[in-house]
Amino acid sequence: MSTGATAAAQGKMVNAFTAADLARLDPQTRATVERRARLLGPAYRLFYQKPVEVCRGRGVYLYDSAGNEYLDAYNNVASVGHTHPAVVRAVSEQMATLCTHTRYLQEGILRYGEQLRQTFDGPVRDYHTMFTCTGSEANDLAMRMAMHHTGRSGIIITSEAYHGNSFLTAGFSPSLGERSPLGTWVRRIPTPDSYRMPIRELGQRMARHVEEQIEDLERRGEGLAAFIADSLFSSDGIYSDPTDLLAPVAEVVRKAGGLFVADEVQSGFGRSGDRFWGYQRHGIQPDIITMGKPMGNGFPVAATIVAPDIVKGFGRDMRYFNTFGGNSVAIAAAQATLDVMQTEGLQENARRIGQAIRDGVGQLASQFEVIGDVRGAGLYVGVELVSDRAAKTPDGAAATYVVNSLREQRVLISATGNDSNVLKIRPPLVFDDSNVDRLVTALEVAFKGWRNHA
């Protein structure tokens, strides 16, 4: 492995506990970590150099066994807040009534499907909904349908994309690490880096890269089945703008007979603030849409939304069934979560509070040279840290320090990007102004500490 590759691999551990951290732990925590390793094995990862124990959650807070409160500025799974009473009640009542699969007629799944459709626009409102348990399953199903529909196998992704951990989806999720193999039918294009590239050129530049990879796939007999992207490019480093990137890409993809798949697992359900779905910010109509994580506020439920002409042949030739996908309790969780999002105005809250976070960090940038760029949409914020503003040199060490400094202040965030130098701030949608103040204050302390440390 080259020096650069080694550095990148190490950088991806920025928010992970490693064996080197074990000696720093108090005896009780160390014993728990060692017991966990013995029982669960080495493939699991813990967050932070000093792992966080959590025993309960409420709203935007997590608590350990000693009652210490942590501000959760990272968790997009509990999108409407940890243990939201409406979701807890819906799940409990449904579990006490019935939990079964989709081969029986049930009103709940139809009611939810109709309400979900209303969040889309244009032709997508007539698409079909196929339920799964996780975003990985949703993306896996999307690609199976794309390959069946097109008769081709090629998939194009961005350079640090993450789309799942099934065998198929791990094969087109390069962010899993240098040693996680990509499929021979997978091609990558560069991250749309709005910090380092001229914004006006990004859309056409991205489309040209896609064209080049399509030509390579065709030359090698694979052809293009689909291009898939998270429209906030979360694992690439959080690039929310410009919003004219994906339309020219979609045009190139469809010209080659491929499908455009919008992965909304990270960017959907109102998180971007200005629109309910991330792809809507780009003014496009995907052929397939996938969703998961925040859909059930912690209960495993996900879905693949697909155009009728694509699923028609798949349903005829392949069929589809998922024992737990779309079960009665999962749908109750999804219904309650969607109701809360809409009745509590959480999309608008994401827009307003997300702007407050970016404004607050932007003010810190005037004090701390390590802050190179502040970007994002709604409650998905990226803060790029650099060792040299003029050269825009990524500083993964600074991100490691800041993330772990915040953890010591009991504020939880993470980091992302190829060099793991972009702070990833992605709180529940119920974050409020007081939470912003605490977050920005903690960041100021962390940046002061890094300046003194460096």
Side-chain angles (χ1 to χ4, degrees), residues 19-131:
D21 300 313
L22 195 62
R24 305 188 187 111
L25 303 181
D26 63 83
Q28 182 177 347
T29 303
R30 180 172 181 169
T32 302
V33 170
E34 289 174 334
R35 181 182 176 212
R36 184 181 191 271
R38 184 173 70 253
L39 293 172
L40 304 185
Y44 281 90
R45 296 286 188 268
L46 284 163
F47 282 156
Y48 309 111
Q49 292 169 349
K50 182 180 179 183
V52 176
E53 175 207 28
V54 293
C55 294
R56 62 186 178 91
R58 188 72 171 180
V60 298
Y61 300 107
L62 293 168
Y63 300 87
D64 63 21
S65 59
N68 294 311
E69 175 189 276
Y70 295 79
L71 178 64
D72 186 354
Y74 177 68
N75 202 321
N76 75 327
V77 176
S79 56
V80 301
H82 295 281
T83 65
H84 192 290
V87 181
V88 172
R89 183 168 57 251
V91 169
S92 178
E93 290 177 356
Q94 185 58 53
M95 193 67 185
T97 304
L98 173 70
C99 181
T100 190
H101 52 69
T102 57
R103 286 191 172 182
Y104 301 105
L105 292 174
Q106 297 180 72
E107 174 62 22
I109 195 171
L110 304 180
R111 182 172 62 250
Y112 179 75
E114 288 175 338
Q115 188 170 336
L116 186 66
R117 272 190 174 190
Q118 297 309 305
T119 64
F120 301 119
D121 45 23
V124 180
R125 285 199 172 183
D126 294 323
Y127 283 17
H128 299 302
T129 305
M130 301 174 72
F131 290 97

Side-chain angles (χ1 to χ4, degrees), residues 153-190:
S153 56
I155 296 174
I156 298 177
I157 54 174
T158 53
S159 60
E160 286 299 309
Y162 174 71
H163 295 293
N165 58 20
S166 69
F167 181 79
L168 176 58
T169 57
F172 56 93
S173 294
S175 68
L176 289 175
E178 296 288 339
R179 296 187 179 182
S180 183
L182 298 179
T184 57
W185 27 267
V186 173
R187 299 293 183 274
R188 291 196 283 177
I189 63 168

Side-chain angles (χ1 to χ4, degrees), residues 191-199 202 237-242 245 373 375-376 384 392:
T191 294
D193 189 342
S194 58
Y195 179 44
R196 294 174 177 83
M197 299 179 188
I199 288 180
L202 279 178
I238 310 174
Y239 296 98
S240 54
D241 293 286
L245 290 174
D373 194 28
R375 52 185 182 258
E384 179 144 1
K392 301 182 178 179

Side-chain angles (χ1 to χ4, degrees), residues 2-24:
S2 69
T3 302
T6 302
Q10 291 173 342
K12 293 178 190 304
M13 300 293 286
V14 64
N15 193 24
F17 173 83
T18 67
D21 300 313
L22 195 62
R24 305 188 187 111

